[in-house]
């Protein structure tokens, strides 16, 4: 791609892009304006040139569908309250449709969390040594993943701005009971409330500080160690093919589609497990700022991969990407017309709060349409149960 003629043009292009993305965000009410694009992130022509050159080898250039084969070995490192259940449904659906093998937990929907992932946590299938896909909650451990996944596996994950992610976790997992404080009170002195509950909650599946880094394999004793945090971010950068950003979910999906050589239809989705809007705690800017500082490691993680995402978008071509985003949204609109009616949307208890789920309407057009609609609307645990039965059948 040719460089733009001057930095002013580049910066104006990125600012305009940011405004468009913010207007179409689906996953959060948090406004990431202050952390998405800043002068200190892209500050000179030289850095723009470096931005392009340094990512040439890591960017997967847009492919002609006839020139690549769909990639079918994928690990989704599912993080908490980031849009991961929606992404999981995409992975489940693709693997299910193509009769791929899934590494699934022995029980529950977690692979041994709060322990780091271990091959021993995977339900054994007699005829399978290496699996195609893994998409349930697990704490990242590259050596253990490699014991059950093929060498060419592509690793992906999704993250979200730490202030909105922490608020969502606090509500969904009832941290108010864990810390004996509302999130507003917790924000008044996070260290005090965290230390007070640390010993009796150290075996919890969700961390009360830098929870995304915890999911991504950083040991609890290092969650506030700046050097260890930076090393972990570097490790993730080296081993993951794509880190999706929740605030730019559709744009991230276009890059994922390109990375895996899938079709737009493969990454279409209905939002899964999103909270009812009335369940979202509205935080002041001061509280958001405090929670962001408390989760400074997750902020570093977010800033690094948010910048990385923009590098990938820049290399892919913004106009091309945005055209595909609109095509994806058209496909999803057609699926909603096909699969849903006014009675389909429902609020159900998920975890500790009300979440949005859907029930597919009866589709008589074809068996394939009916199967598509059901798979788009399966709740995560229902789909997991279905896949367990299918894996058992396939292994016999």
């Amino acid at each position: 791609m040719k460089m733009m003629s001057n930095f002013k043009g580049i910066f104006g292009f990125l600012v305009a892009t940011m405004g468009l993305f913010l207007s179409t965000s689906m996953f959060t009410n948090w406004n990431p304006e202050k952390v998405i694009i800043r002068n200190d992130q892209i500050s000179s022509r030289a850095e723009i040139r470096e931005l392009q050159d340094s990512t040439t080898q890591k960017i997967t250039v847009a492919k002609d569908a006839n020139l690549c084969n769909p990639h079918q070995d994928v690990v989704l490192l599912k993080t908490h309250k980031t849009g991961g259940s929606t992404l999981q449904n995409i992975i489940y659906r693709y693997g299910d449709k193509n009769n791929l093998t899934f590494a699934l937990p022995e029980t529950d929907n977690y692979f041994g969390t709060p322990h780091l992932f271990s091959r021993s946590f995977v339900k054994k299938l007699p005829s399978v040594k290496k699996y195609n896909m893994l998409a349930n909650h697990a704490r990242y451990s590259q050596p253990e993943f490699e014991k059950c996944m093929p060498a060419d596996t592509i690793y992906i994950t999704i993250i979200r701005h730490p202030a909105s992610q922490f608020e969502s976790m606090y509500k969904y997992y009832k941290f108010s009971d864990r810390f004996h404080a509302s999130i507003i009170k917790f924000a008044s002195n996070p260290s005090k409330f965290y230390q007070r509950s640390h010993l009796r909650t150290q075996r919890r599946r969700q961390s009360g500080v830098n929870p995304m880094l915890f999911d991504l394999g950083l040991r609890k004793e290092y969650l506030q160690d700046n050097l260890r945090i930076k090393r972990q971010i570097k490790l993730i950068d080296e081993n993951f093919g794509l880190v999706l950003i929740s605030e730019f979910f559709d744009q991230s999906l276009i890059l994922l589609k390109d990375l895996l050589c899938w079709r737009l239809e493969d990454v279409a989705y209905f939002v899964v497990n999103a909270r009812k809007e009335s369940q979202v705690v509205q935080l002041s800017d001061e509280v958001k700022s405090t929670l962001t500082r408390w989760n400074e490691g997750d902020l570093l993680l977010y800033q690094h991969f948010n910048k990385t995402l923009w590098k990938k978008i820049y290399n892919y071509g913004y106009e091309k990407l945005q055209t595909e985003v609109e095509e994806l949204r058209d496909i999803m609109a057609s699926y909603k017309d096909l699969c849903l009616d006014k009675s389909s949307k429902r609020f159900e208890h998920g975890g500790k709060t009300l979440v949005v789920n859907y029930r597919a309407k009866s589709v008589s057009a074809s068996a394939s349409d009916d199967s598509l609609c059901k798979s788009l609307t399966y709740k995560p645990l229902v789909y997991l149960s279905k896949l367990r039965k299918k894996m058992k059948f396939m292994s016999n």
Side-chain angles (χ1 to χ4, degrees):
M1 181 180 293
K2 294 182 179 180
M3 296 295 293
M4 292 187 181
S5 59
N6 55 55
F7 169 71
K8 182 177 180 181
I10 287 287
F11 187 70
F13 162 80
L14 291 176
V15 170
T17 301
M18 179 185 71
L20 180 57
F21 281 173
L22 288 176
S23 70
T24 58
S25 176
M26 297 182 64
F27 277 76
T28 180
N29 292 322
W30 170 254
N31 182 352
E33 182 178 356
K34 295 181 180 179
V35 296
I36 299 303
I37 300 171
R38 305 192 315 269
N39 287 333
D40 63 343
Q41 286 182 320
I42 300 175
S43 57
S44 67
R45 263 196 204 175
E47 186 170 348
I48 290 292
R49 188 176 297 108
E50 181 183 356
L51 176 152
Q52 185 182 39
D53 295 342
S54 67
T55 58
T56 298
Q57 294 183 346
K58 299 180 73 174
I59 298 300
T60 303
V61 180
K63 310 174 189 72
D64 185 308
N66 295 322
L67 300 179
C68 66
N69 295 316
H71 197 88
Q72 299 187 328
D73 300 327
V74 180
V75 165
L76 164 62
L77 199 293
K78 189 172 185 283
T79 49
H80 288 91
K81 308 315 297 175
T82 57
S85 293
T86 300
L87 186 55
Q88 180 190 58
N89 178 270
I90 291 171
I91 303 299
Y92 273 1
R93 225 172 52 240
Y94 185 90
D96 187 17
K97 180 181 177 181
N98 291 282
N99 294 317
L100 304 179
T101 56
F102 280 88
L104 299 173
E106 280 279 5
T107 58
D108 197 18
N109 60 327
Y110 283 80
F111 285 104
T113 306
H115 301 289
L116 292 172
F117 176 80
S118 167
R119 171 67 175 84
S120 64
F121 297 152
V122 177
K123 186 174 181 63
K124 294 178 177 60
L125 300 179
S127 60
V128 179
K129 291 184 178 180
K130 300 278 186 176
Y131 300 82
N132 297 117
M133 294 190 158
L134 186 154
N136 285 84
H137 280 296
R139 289 190 61 219
Y140 177 59
S141 173
Q142 186 71 29
E144 289 296 314
F145 279 127
E146 290 175 358
K147 291 178 182 178
C148 60
M149 302 300 297
D152 68 344
T153 297
I154 290 177
Y155 293 80
I156 64 171
T157 190
I158 181 168
I159 60 175
R160 178 182 182 183
H161 190 279
S164 58
Q165 191 266 351
F166 195 80
E167 181 277 323
S168 184
M169 282 189 60
Y170 209 96
K171 178 72 175 179
Y172 191 87
Y173 294 109
K174 272 202 169 179
F175 277 18
S176 55
D177 292 345
R178 177 174 171 178
F179 296 116
H180 302 291
S182 70
I183 191 169
I184 307 299
K185 189 174 181 180
F186 177 89
S188 68
N189 196 336
S191 182
K192 180 186 78 172
F193 288 106
Y194 178 74
Q195 293 300 330
R196 180 185 294 173
S197 68
H198 177 64
L199 290 178
R200 57 187 170 81
T201 63
Q202 60 183 339
R203 292 185 61 80
R204 294 287 185 106
R205 287 171 165 175
Q206 305 84 28
S207 172
V209 62
N210 294 323
M212 290 185 288
L213 277 168
F214 180 71
D215 289 339
L216 286 163
L218 189 60
R219 294 184 180 277
K220 184 158 284 191
E221 60 267 30
Y222 300 140
L223 283 171
Q224 293 176 294
D225 183 322
N226 204 45
L227 180 59
R228 296 279 187 169
I229 286 169
K230 289 179 179 178
R231 286 179 183 174
Q232 194 69 14
I233 291 172
K234 184 175 183 292
L235 180 69
I236 295 161
D237 193 35
E238 291 170 348
N239 288 304
F240 279 67
L242 181 66
V243 176
L244 292 82
I245 301 292
S246 178
E247 285 81 358
F248 305 126
F249 191 68
D250 289 358
Q251 292 77 14
S252 296
L253 286 179
I254 300 304
L255 296 178
L256 178 64
K257 181 268 300 180
D258 184 66
L259 176 67
L260 300 178
C261 193
W262 290 3
R263 303 171 308 149
L264 280 173
E265 290 84 355
D266 296 324
V267 296
Y269 65 92
F270 294 159
V271 176
V272 177
N273 269 5
R275 284 178 300 163
K276 192 175 183 179
E277 287 186 14
S278 61
Q279 300 274 308
V280 179
V281 179
Q282 299 303 316
L283 303 177
S284 68
D285 289 344
E286 181 181 359
V287 170
K288 289 177 184 175
S289 179
T290 301
L291 293 177
T292 300
R293 289 194 302 272
W294 171 243
N295 295 291
E296 183 181 4
D298 275 357
L299 180 63
L300 291 174
L301 175 79
Y302 180 86
Q303 288 176 329
H304 177 88
F305 286 107
N306 179 62
K307 185 174 179 179
T308 299
L309 184 80
W310 280 89
K311 291 177 182 179
K312 292 176 184 285
I313 289 172
Y314 174 81
N315 280 266
Y316 190 86
Y318 168 69
E319 290 186 5
K320 181 177 188 292
L321 181 137
Q322 194 58 26
T323 296
E324 294 189 37
V325 166
E326 295 306 320
E327 291 174 1
L328 174 62
R329 290 174 180 166
D330 287 344
I331 291 169
M332 293 191 296
S334 71
Y335 285 172
K336 286 183 179 180
D337 289 340
L338 175 67
C339 301
L340 306 179
D341 57 27
K342 291 182 180 179
S343 65
S344 293
K345 188 176 181 178
R346 52 180 56 198
F347 296 102
E348 302 173 342
H349 283 281
K352 310 293 184 181
T353 189
L354 288 176
V355 296
V356 178
N357 279 304
Y358 299 92
R359 181 176 64 182
K361 69 182 182 182
S362 178
V363 179
S364 58
S366 72
S368 61
D369 285 345
D370 190 60
S371 177
L372 170 67
C373 292
K374 286 179 179 177
S375 64
L376 280 163
T377 56
Y378 279 138
K379 291 182 285 187
L381 293 181
V382 172
Y383 214 151
L384 175 59
S385 177
K386 178 181 182 296
L387 290 175
R388 277 200 172 105
K389 293 175 182 176
K390 183 174 183 176
M391 293 303 103
K392 183 177 180 180
F393 176 80
M394 286 174 63
S395 65
N396 290 333

